[in-house]
Amino acid sequence: MEINILSWIIWIPLLGMAAIAFVPRGKTQLIKIITAVATGVQFLATLGLWSQFDLSNGGFQFMERATWIPSFNITYILGVDGLSLPMVVLTGLLFFLSTFVSWNINRAVKGYFSLFLLLNIGIMGVFLSLDFFLFYVFWEVMLLPMFFLIGMWGGPQREYAAIKFFLYTLVGSVLMLIAILGLYFTCGRTFDMLVLMEVAPTALNGVMWWGIDAIKVIWVLLFIGFAIKVPVFPFHTWLPLVHVEAPTAISVILAGILLKLGVYGMLRINYSMLPGAVWWFAGALAVLGLINVIWGAMCALAQKDLKKMVAYSSVNHMGYLLIGMSAVIAAGAANGNNVLAAQAGLGGAVFLMFNHGTISAMLFILVGVIYERAHHRNIDGFGGIAAQMPIYSGIMALAFFAGLGLPGFSGFISEAMCFIGAFPVFKAIVIASTLGILLNAAYFLRAYQRIFMGSLNEKYKDLPEINRMELFTVIPLAVITLFLGIYPKPFLDLISSTMNVIIDKVANIGSIAGVF
Amino acid sequence: MTGNMFIDYSLLILFLPVAAFTIQIFIGKRLPRQGDWVSIGAVIITLVLAIAMFASMLLGNDPNFSQEASFTWLDMGVFKIELGFLVDNITIVMLLVVALISTMTHIFSVKYMEGDIRYSRYFAYLGLFTFSMNGIVLANNLISMYMFWELVGVSSYLLIGHWFEKDSASDAAKKAFLTNRVGDIGFFIGIMLIFSSLGTFVFSEIFDGIAAGKLGGTVLTFAGVGLFLGAMAKSSQFPLHIWLPDAMEGPTPVSALMHAATMVAAGVYLVVRLFPLFTPDALLVMAYVGGFTALFAATIAITQNDIKKVLAYSTVSQLGYMILSVGTGAYIAGFFHLVTHAMFKACLFYGSGSVIHSMHHALHKKHDTETDPQDMRNMGGFKNKMPITYWAMLICTLAISGVPLFSGFLSKDAILAGTLSFASHNPGHFLLPVFGFGAAAITAFYMFRLMIMTFHGKPKMPEIYDDIHESPKEMTFPLVLLSTLSVFIFYTLPYFNPFSDHGWFKELVVAKDSVVPGSETAHYIAEGIHHAHYPAMALSLIVASVGIFLSWTMYFKKKISADDWAEKLKPMYNLSFNKYFFDENYNKYLYQPLLKLSSLVAYIDWDLYDKYVINGFGRVTKLLSFFTGRMDYEGLDQTIIDGIGRTTRRAGGVLKYLQTGRLQSYLLFALLGIILLVLVQSF
């Protein structure tokens, strides 16, 4: 471990920031190039990490450990496993592509790209840190650049959106902080997540706070903290607003990665440290998933703003993910040790994390393309664009079909796995949520018809076709989505060892405690 | 390549069209002739390969021939999905049908679509469709079946919406996709029910599991009905039939390929493939849905004036037949009808395409854009102008009407014998043969109505009559070929008895026993059909004659006035003419309420919940901070702090800077707070 690759991955953008600091304000092109190089190198590093990753090992690899604040047992610990690796690669890819999506930013360029890189540090840090304190610091680091990127480079209501985003997530952070401290003081005063994963599942047994099981209190605090990020109904209303106001590249990061941080947090902390409470909460999770699916789809169907529709489609898709996550209890003795279903469900959920990352990124980039040209996103304000911009329309059709879960695209497999996994445990909920299959198609096809089909709106008969830079940002995502849709094995091989570790954890505690 | 001829050929058959699709999408437009030869070449090779497989099947003469090959698609340890091919005699026959009709459609389209603005796109999508359809045919498991099932839906969406500038076309495309998705929900629930009990998606393993009693009873019935719901949507069965007639908005060769011969037959193919797993209850549901659809759609076809709409409702009705036959257990008869129907119905659609093409050009010459080139009331007397089209369509009309010497007679007869036998064993279900024979009579009637209105009598529009001419040979060739294949002999060889379906088909494509305990054996069902053969034949001959005779007297001889009867039966006529108002009612009671509900949900979400509840928290906090602010300033600062004096006030002034309004400093304070908390706790 001489090279400390994880630290490099996290801190490479800091070098970029330092370089940008020395560039004169006016040299905007150079600033962009520096950012592209920094994110590009980082992305290559993540790919290198993937190539060296041991697929058969479900535990943490490439561990780094350094003393930081010994008096409080705070350590700098990094590590990567099958849950975080796909997200690290996705982060690397999306930041690299988003740099090019941001190419036409021309106001306060220096500030924008510095904050952009800072955001990158925060996100990578969250995915890679294995010390709770470090995790929290990165979590908060992420918040700040996000606030300014929305508040300064956003749309007309950007300040309102930025404040709303900030307050919403701050509430989550506070709850999470309380939970972290709760774990710290009940599990032997450590922030070391590896130790907590060992100790916490049993250490909290029998501990009562205000007459309630401590494990449930901590679970719920953490859950709400993460649910705001996902977002889970009823904590979702920041999402459409922020998406509509955020600049395209930030929407891409937001939908592609930030939402997944919530799911990542649940799986890394709720599931791995408090597996007993998974049993208690799985039913609620499935119900929330169902609500997300239906509510998100209904709202998407009613939207007039294309970007807002895509934003609600995220709410909708995160519903499938929650349902898949709830399937993990199938592996317990109470459910006949149905490991098959648990693997399908949890695997599907994590696969969907990645797939939604690529598909929603593609959708937001494409929405940005038309907005750039027409200066509005009103679904009813177009018509017949397919005749004018055939390439763009073709790629949009591809993205829409990927979004509506068409087989051949990666989204389908992950959604199907979520359903198949949860079905043995939550039959009625899964059956009800299959209605999403229809509603999903309904809102995408409705939008496609209104924007691209019909006779060409005279106003747009000179609309320029999608350009090379824009194509460059979408094509890699389309290729990945198609490739994994046709051949998902490489991805599932990547995650399955780690999934099995999580499943075992939940299944075993279920058969021991089984009281929740 | 696997070394196994059948599997290798299947791989090629599957992937050649998708290769053509890829080429067409990316560089089709830049190739000479916009690359149509790439697509045509690809499907012709698949046709040759399919013929080779078919020949081997005939030579091998093994009714139980079956080959499987699969690979691991994903593997998480216990959860594993294997995808693969199943090649047996049903597969081989179906591959040949798809390859043949697809090739004919490609050839027909060269002239029909000549000069179209998206010519290469069109051929690309045909390739995508052929790929997806072959995928369904070759699947040996539910997952790949479902995946190709949806891909077929997409190619249908793209091709129906080929002329997307027309609102009616884009509406029809969307409707087709969404209606099919309704069925897909059922299909998927069926898959989940089966998988959660048996842990496999592979057909043969599913059958084994059911035979071993691991899944049965009501759950299996529900699973079967779920799968059937998928078939209902794809095969346009009542009440999900609404999309198919609208799908006629697509180019006519597409209607022939997808919406008559192959894609819509996928539903039938699914239930034929999975026949052994359906419980008697599930089969009964099928029988009634299919039977009712057969009759119901036929009663609509009677009054339609658009030549393609008549054929569309006729297709719905014929698909109903096939489903009915699967429901009564005579599922091989259903599959037989699928094959014969594919030939004559595709041919009828090409024929209608040929007529429309001619009408279109004639109208174009007169600069007439008002007249509908598909309306049979503008036609008449085309027989002499388009003799090849006429004779080909006439042969196919005879076939679909169930006239001896033609293929449809054999297959329809087998289905009707099946219903008759079923009803004689279960007299309670006497309605099933009534549906069947009733639909047969009406079919003969409306098909001759179509032929007479189009080709006989005086030209209704003499001004364009001179410009009506036979279509070019790229278009007549498929007509001739497919009408030839509608002659009985191609299905009865090596025998020549036009009244018996005894031949290679019956010998090589044999029924499997149901694996559901307590079901009737294939042998028992075959016996029943055999006994019902002659009564069924006699009855079907009678009803077909009645239908043809009525049509002839009404439209050819004009001894009975169709208008008078329409007037006399006004309410019934209106119902039929307006397709029983299904679209209107679905719109009123399903789509509009759904859209209203979604608007309401969005309103609650954005304008109520977010604005009042979420922002309400903000308002409450603001109010609280207002009061604390007042207390801070007026209570603490003005009264107490001021009272203490200037020094303390300076301290207060310093404290004030804590409220910088900068988020960074708040974060810093939060961090300090944590550390403080930790410190306090650790003492």
Side-chain angles (χ1 to χ4, degrees):
Chain A
M1 287 303 120
E2 298 85 18
I3 36 168
N4 289 336
I5 184 164
L6 300 187
S7 284
W8 277 104
I9 288 176
I10 296 177
W11 301 112
I12 283 168
L14 193 66
L15 297 177
M17 281 172 77
I20 288 174
F22 289 108
V23 176
R25 197 174 293 273
K27 299 218 167 192
T28 55
Q29 198 68 12
L30 186 60
I31 293 172
K32 289 170 187 171
I33 291 169
I34 291 172
T35 312
V37 170
T39 51
V41 170
Q42 185 194 41
F43 176 50
L44 289 177
T46 63
L47 289 180
L49 182 65
W50 185 3
S51 69
Q52 299 299 313
F53 188 78
D54 176 9
L55 296 179
S56 58
N57 181 352
F60 291 95
Q61 305 181 27
F62 302 97
M63 294 274 296
E64 289 174 30
R65 200 178 267 273
T67 343
W68 186 17
I69 312 172
S71 45
F72 300 111
N73 243 339
I74 295 170
T75 337
Y76 176 84
I77 314 175
L78 304 179
V80 67
D81 68 352
L83 175 61
S84 49
L85 181 58
M87 299 319 296
V88 168
V89 176
L90 181 69
T91 307
L93 173 69
L94 289 187
F95 267 94
F96 178 60
L97 295 179
S98 294
T99 309
F100 298 96
V101 175
S102 313
W103 215 258
N104 49 15
I105 293 279
N106 44 27
R107 202 161 52 80
V109 177
K110 204 166 166 173
Y112 178 89
F113 285 97
S114 305
L115 288 167
F116 184 76
L117 290 171
L118 183 62
L119 180 64
N120 186 342
I121 296 174
I123 292 173
M124 281 294 188
V126 171
F127 283 129
L128 292 173
S129 49
L130 289 178
D131 179 276
F132 236 145
F133 193 82
L134 190 61
F135 178 90
Y136 188 76
V137 169
F138 280 126
W139 189 275
E140 295 299 311
V141 162
M142 205 168 65
L143 200 51
L144 213 71
M146 205 67 198
F147 174 79
F148 288 110
L149 286 166
I150 299 164
M152 291 181 65
W153 287 270
Q157 272 190 295
R158 55 181 175 264
E159 277 148 28
Y160 172 56
I163 287 284
K164 193 159 197 165
F165 171 77
F166 193 84
L167 292 179
Y168 241 118
T169 14
L170 203 63
V171 171
S173 304
V174 169
L175 298 179
M176 194 166 91
L177 184 64
I178 299 171
I180 291 175
L181 293 177
L183 280 169
Y184 180 79
F185 290 114
T186 45
C187 301
R189 304 205 174 180
T190 178
F191 288 114
D192 185 334
M193 284 161 84
L194 294 164
V195 175
L196 285 169
M197 283 177 203
E198 288 299 317
V199 179
T202 43
L204 283 159
N205 274 352
V207 179
M208 305 287 275
W209 288 350
W210 314 290
I212 311 168
D213 286 301
I215 191 169
K216 291 182 186 170
V217 175
I218 296 181
W219 168 280
V220 170
L221 290 174
L222 285 168
F223 177 77
I224 296 175
F226 295 133
I228 289 173
K229 271 266 184 308
V230 171
V232 179
F233 180 93
F235 309 113
H236 65 284
T237 58
W238 63 271
L239 183 85
L241 173 74
V242 170
H243 266 309
V244 167
E245 298 306 322
T248 301
I250 301 310
S251 286
V252 169
I253 302 292
L254 196 66
I257 311 167
L258 245 68
L259 307 189
K260 312 311 179 303
L261 283 167
V263 185
Y264 174 78
M266 288 181 198
L267 291 175
R268 176 66 81 226
I269 296 164
N270 289 43
Y271 273 55
S272 304
M273 294 182 192
L274 309 166
V278 176
W279 284 84
W280 167 68
F281 206 76
L285 204 59
V287 170
L288 288 170
L290 170 64
I291 297 174
N292 257 44
V293 167
I294 304 293
W295 192 268
M298 288 294 228
C299 287
L301 190 57
Q303 293 313 312
K304 294 189 174 67
D305 182 329
L306 182 61
K307 205 172 182 188
K308 215 164 162 185
M309 185 201 88
V310 176
Y312 273 112
S313 94
S314 291
V315 177
N316 167 240
H317 280 90
M318 290 300 108
Y320 300 123
L321 201 155
L322 294 176
I323 291 172
M325 278 171 66
S326 72
V328 73
I329 60 163
N335 292 313
N337 296 318
N338 192 348
V339 179
L340 190 152
Q343 284 182 344
L346 195 62
V350 174
F351 195 16
L352 185 55
M353 268 167 88
F354 186 86
N355 295 336
H356 182 260
T358 53
I359 296 170
S360 65
M362 197 154 57
L363 286 168
F364 278 114
I365 294 174
L366 290 167
V367 172
V369 169
I370 192 96
Y371 182 67
E372 192 81 356
R373 285 158 175 71
H375 307 292
H376 76 89
R377 295 179 300 251
N378 186 0
I379 291 173
D380 293 321
F382 294 98
I385 300 293
Q388 179 61 28
M389 302 171 70
I391 301 174
Y392 173 71
S393 310
I395 297 176
M396 194 62 145
L398 186 141
F400 272 15
F401 278 117
L404 63 79
L406 187 79
F409 296 102
S410 53
F412 162 74
I413 307 166
S414 42
E415 282 163 29
M417 282 170 71
C418 288
F419 281 143
I420 289 170
F423 187 75
V425 201
F426 302 109
K427 284 200 176 60
I429 294 171
V430 172
I431 288 177
S433 58
T434 51
L435 194 63
I437 297 178
L438 176 65
L439 294 174
N440 231 336
Y443 66 74
F444 274 121
L445 292 187
R446 167 185 162 272
Y448 195 82
Q449 183 187 19
R450 297 199 180 178
I451 297 173
F452 296 99
M453 294 171 146
S455 47
L456 178 63
N457 189 337
E458 277 303 306
K459 264 200 302 199
Y460 299 118
K461 67 177 173 19
D462 298 318
L463 226 50
E465 183 60 280
I466 184 167
N467 64 35
R468 281 180 186 203
M469 176 84 90
E470 288 158 342
L471 275 177
F472 171 74
T473 56
V474 204
I475 286 175
L477 297 169
V479 170
I480 292 170
T481 310
L482 259 172
F483 176 78
L484 290 178
I486 295 165
Y487 194 55
K489 198 164 176 296
F491 187 90
L492 293 167
D493 288 346
L494 180 65
I495 64 169
S496 59
S497 304
T498 304
M499 294 304 107
N500 289 334
V501 170
I502 298 177
I503 290 167
D504 281 350
K505 234 172 226 168
V506 176
N508 292 338
I509 201 94
S511 44
I512 299 163
V515 290
F516 298 105
Chain B
M1 294 287 114
T2 59
N4 178 324
M5 169 204 152
F6 288 96
I7 302 297
D8 288 349
Y9 283 18
S10 303
L11 276 168
L12 281 172
I13 289 178
L14 184 63
F15 288 110
L16 277 172
V18 80
F21 161 75
T22 317
I23 293 172
Q24 288 285 40
I25 281 284
F26 287 109
I27 55 168
K29 252 191 152 165
R30 276 173 265 158
L31 293 172
R33 291 179 55 97
Q34 297 206 32
D36 57 0
W37 48 275
V38 174
S39 303
I40 295 170
V43 286
I44 286 179
I45 299 173
T46 67
L47 178 60
V48 170
L49 292 169
I51 290 172
M53 284 170 79
F54 184 71
S56 311
M57 177 188 88
L58 289 181
L59 292 174
N61 202 24
D62 176 10
N64 298 315
F65 172 81
S66 173
Q67 300 263 331
E68 274 192 74
S70 56
F71 75 103
T72 304
W73 192 51
L74 59 87
D75 181 1
M76 294 193 65
V78 187
F79 177 70
K80 201 184 240 196
I81 300 182
E82 305 247 315
L83 299 187
F85 287 168
L86 165 61
V87 181
D88 62 7
N89 293 349
I90 291 184
T91 317
I92 294 173
V93 172
M94 193 69 190
L95 281 178
L96 181 61
V97 170
V98 175
L100 179 68
I101 309 284
S102 182
T103 307
M104 291 305 120
T105 298
H106 276 77
I107 294 173
F108 190 89
S109 301
V110 171
K111 280 288 169 214
Y112 192 85
M113 298 300 286
E114 198 173 32
D116 190 83
I117 43 167
R118 284 181 289 273
Y119 187 75
S120 66
R121 248 329 136 84
Y122 171 82
F123 277 97
Y125 294 155
L126 283 185
L128 180 65
F129 167 73
T130 310
F131 162 70
S132 325
M133 187 67 209
N134 283 329
I136 291 181
V137 176
L138 286 165
N140 78 338
N141 65 87
L142 288 171
I143 283 289
S144 43
M145 183 75 111
Y146 183 85
M147 295 201 298
F148 286 112
W149 193 263
E150 289 242 313
L151 288 180
V152 159
V154 170
S155 19
S156 161
Y157 172 84
L158 296 169
L159 283 164
I160 296 171
H162 180 73
W163 291 312
F164 59 75
E165 285 90 347
K166 273 200 299 183
D167 285 337
S168 55
S170 70
D171 280 337
K174 188 176 69 175
K175 186 173 177 182
F177 195 86
L178 293 182
T179 312
N180 271 294
R181 275 248 153 159
V182 174
D184 291 348
I185 292 179
F187 194 166
F188 200 78
I189 292 174
I191 292 177
M192 289 193 292
L193 281 168
I194 289 172
F195 186 76
S196 67
S197 308
L198 301 175
T200 178
F201 297 112
V202 180
F203 298 155
S204 54
E205 291 171 11
I206 293 171
F207 296 154
D208 292 347
I210 293 169
K214 285 186 204 154
L215 170 62
T218 328
V219 178
L220 186 56
T221 301
F222 275 115
V225 172
L227 296 175
F228 175 57
L229 199 64
M232 270 168 77
K234 194 115 298 176
S235 288
S236 189
Q237 297 295 293
F238 173 89
L240 298 178
H241 63 280
I242 45 158
W243 68 273
L244 185 58
D246 289 26
M248 297 300 131
E249 288 292 336
T252 305
V254 167
S255 312
L257 173 62
M258 307 176 69
H259 306 122
T262 55
M263 167 190 169
V264 286
V268 180
Y269 184 79
L270 174 78
V271 288
V272 166
R273 254 289 164 246
L274 298 178
F275 177 81
L277 68 75
F278 292 105
T279 60
D281 289 339
L283 289 175
L284 205 58
V285 172
M286 256 182 243
Y288 273 95
V289 169
F292 182 73
T293 306
L295 185 64
F296 165 84
T299 61
I300 298 177
I302 280 188
T303 57
Q304 301 304 309
N305 291 320
D306 182 317
I307 186 167
K308 280 184 80 180
K309 282 269 156 72
V310 177
L311 291 176
Y313 279 104
S314 159
T315 306
V316 176
S317 165
Q318 296 298 310
L319 291 164
Y321 264 113
M322 301 173 206
I323 296 285
L324 165 67
S325 136
V326 177
T328 56
Y331 78 101
I332 293 299
F335 182 61
F336 188 25
H337 196 57
L338 188 165
V339 176
T340 60
H341 175 259
M343 304 301 157
F344 59 68
K345 186 52 75 55
C347 180
L348 285 167
F349 267 104
Y350 295 141
S352 76
S354 173
V355 170
I356 295 164
H357 188 70
S358 189
M359 280 287 285
H360 185 81
H361 281 271
L363 288 168
H364 188 71
K365 217 168 178 182
K366 290 274 176 300
H367 304 288
D368 183 349
T369 51
E370 298 297 308
T371 312
D372 181 358
Q374 308 195 158
D375 194 327
M376 297 190 294
R377 286 170 301 186
N378 301 327
M379 301 175 186
F382 287 7
K383 179 185 163 196
N384 301 325
K385 290 279 190 174
M386 313 180 72
I388 306 176
T389 306
Y390 171 70
W391 284 105
M393 281 186 84
L394 183 65
I395 289 172
C396 296
T397 301
L398 291 170
I400 197 177
S401 307
V403 174
L405 297 179
F406 299 99
S407 61
F409 169 75
L410 298 175
S411 55
K412 194 178 261 189
D413 185 51
I415 292 175
L416 292 173
T419 60
L420 215 54
S421 155
F422 187 80
S424 67
H425 294 307
N426 311 281
H429 300 301
F430 66 91
L431 267 178
L432 296 176
V434 172
F435 288 147
F437 287 102
I442 303 174
T443 305
F445 178 82
Y446 69 69
M447 281 312 300
F448 275 86
R449 170 177 175 267
L450 179 149
M451 288 303 289
I452 296 165
M453 282 177 82
T454 309
F455 291 101
H456 292 271
K458 288 201 192 74
K460 307 283 171 9
M461 290 183 73
E463 65 273 23
I464 58 162
Y465 187 69
D466 285 340
D467 292 320
I468 297 292
H469 51 77
E470 186 57 279
S471 297
K473 58 183 179 308
E474 286 89 342
M475 290 167 67
T476 49
F477 167 66
L479 279 165
V480 174
L481 183 72
L482 292 184
S483 57
T484 311
L485 288 176
S486 299
V487 177
F488 78 98
I489 197 157
F490 294 98
Y491 306 90
T492 61
L493 282 172
Y495 308 106
F496 295 93
N497 180 357
F499 290 97
S500 160
D501 57 0
H502 200 58
W504 66 266
F505 190 93
K506 211 174 173 187
E507 274 173 21
L508 285 174
V509 183
V510 290
K512 279 204 187 97
D513 284 332
S514 172
V515 295
V516 181
S519 294
E520 284 152 0
T521 62
H523 179 72
Y524 179 82
I525 295 168
E527 280 289 294
I529 298 169
H530 186 70
H531 287 300
H533 182 60
Y534 285 106
M537 187 183 295
L539 262 175
S540 75
L541 280 174
I542 294 170
V543 294
S545 320
V546 169
I548 296 171
F549 176 75
L550 267 179
S551 194
W552 188 69
T553 38
M554 209 178 246
Y555 294 97
F556 192 76
K557 287 279 161 195
K558 299 207 165 36
K559 290 220 170 111
I560 312 172
S561 161
D563 293 337
D564 284 359
W565 276 96
E567 202 52 46
K568 267 182 215 159
L569 301 171
K570 193 81 187 165
M572 279 168 75
Y573 178 84
N574 272 342
L575 272 180
S576 161
F577 187 73
N578 292 300
K579 302 133 193 170
Y580 298 89
F581 297 98
F582 262 84
D583 285 327
E584 290 78 359
N585 284 320
Y586 278 175
N587 189 37
K588 197 168 162 196
Y589 297 108
L590 286 175
Y591 310 140
Q592 294 310 327
L594 177 72
L595 290 177
K596 271 192 196 125
L597 184 66
S598 72
S599 302
L600 180 70
V601 168
Y603 178 77
I604 292 172
D605 191 69
W606 195 250
D607 295 302
L608 297 181
Y609 173 68
D610 184 62
K611 213 168 244 172
Y612 294 102
V613 180
I614 295 293
N615 289 0
F617 286 115
R619 261 177 229 122
V620 170
T621 322
K622 218 169 153 186
L623 207 66
L624 280 175
S625 61
F626 173 73
F627 282 117
T628 47
R630 287 287 289 270
M631 274 163 63
D632 187 59
Y633 185 70
E634 275 161 23
L636 204 70
D637 186 69
Q638 296 290 300
T639 323
I640 301 169
I641 305 292
D642 271 12
I644 291 169
R646 187 178 282 179
T647 330
T648 1
R649 191 189 284 176
R650 201 171 289 151
V654 174
L655 278 174
K656 203 166 61 185
Y657 290 117
L658 283 178
Q659 283 164 306
T660 55
R662 279 203 216 109
L663 287 160
Q664 296 99 309
S665 14
Y666 288 142
L667 269 178
L668 188 70
F669 294 140
L671 215 61
L672 286 173
I674 304 163
I675 295 168
L676 200 68
L677 261 172
V678 173
L679 280 172
V680 169
Q681 282 289 350
S682 51
F683 285 116

